[in-house]
């Protein structure tokens, strides 16, 4: 399968991004409470990951992205 890469800029503060099966993303940011940790959130199902050590959060984000089938939320226009 030849998919075009997503070239849209990431939201502010996103350090790592994992794409789910249906196009949502799991976005990882620096945790507000612990600067050395990461916090993640799925843009489809709104599940959260962390905050925890970078390696653990990255592993959990990858695992979530590999199974999540929630569609990304559409952009709201006024």
């Amino acid at each position: 399968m030849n998919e075009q890469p997503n070239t849209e800029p990431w939201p502010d503060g996103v350090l790592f991004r994992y794409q789910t099966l249906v196009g949502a993303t799991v976005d990882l940011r620096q945790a507000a409470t612990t600067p050395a940790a990461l916090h993640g959130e799925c843009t489809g199902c709104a599940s959260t990951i962390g905050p925890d050590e970078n390696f653990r959060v990255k592993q959990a984000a990858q695992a979530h992205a590999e199974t999540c089938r929630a569609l990304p939320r559409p952009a709201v226009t006024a």
Side-chain angles (χ1 to χ4, degrees), residues 17-40:
R17 180 171 256 196
Y18 299 85
Q19 186 168 1
T20 68
L21 296 171
V22 292
T25 59
V26 181
D27 295 340
L28 301 183
R29 294 177 166 86
Q30 185 176 15
T33 56
T34 309
L38 291 176
H39 175 265

Side-chain angles (χ1 to χ4, degrees), residues 16 18 28 36-38 49 52-63:
F16 301 96
Y18 299 85
L28 301 183
L38 291 176
I49 302 165
D52 203 342
E53 296 174 13
N54 294 352
F55 183 70
R56 288 184 195 173
V57 171
K58 288 177 188 176
Q59 283 185 320
Q62 179 68 43

Side-chain angles (χ1 to χ4, degrees), residues 4 44 49 64:
Q4 293 295 324
I49 302 165
H64 182 84

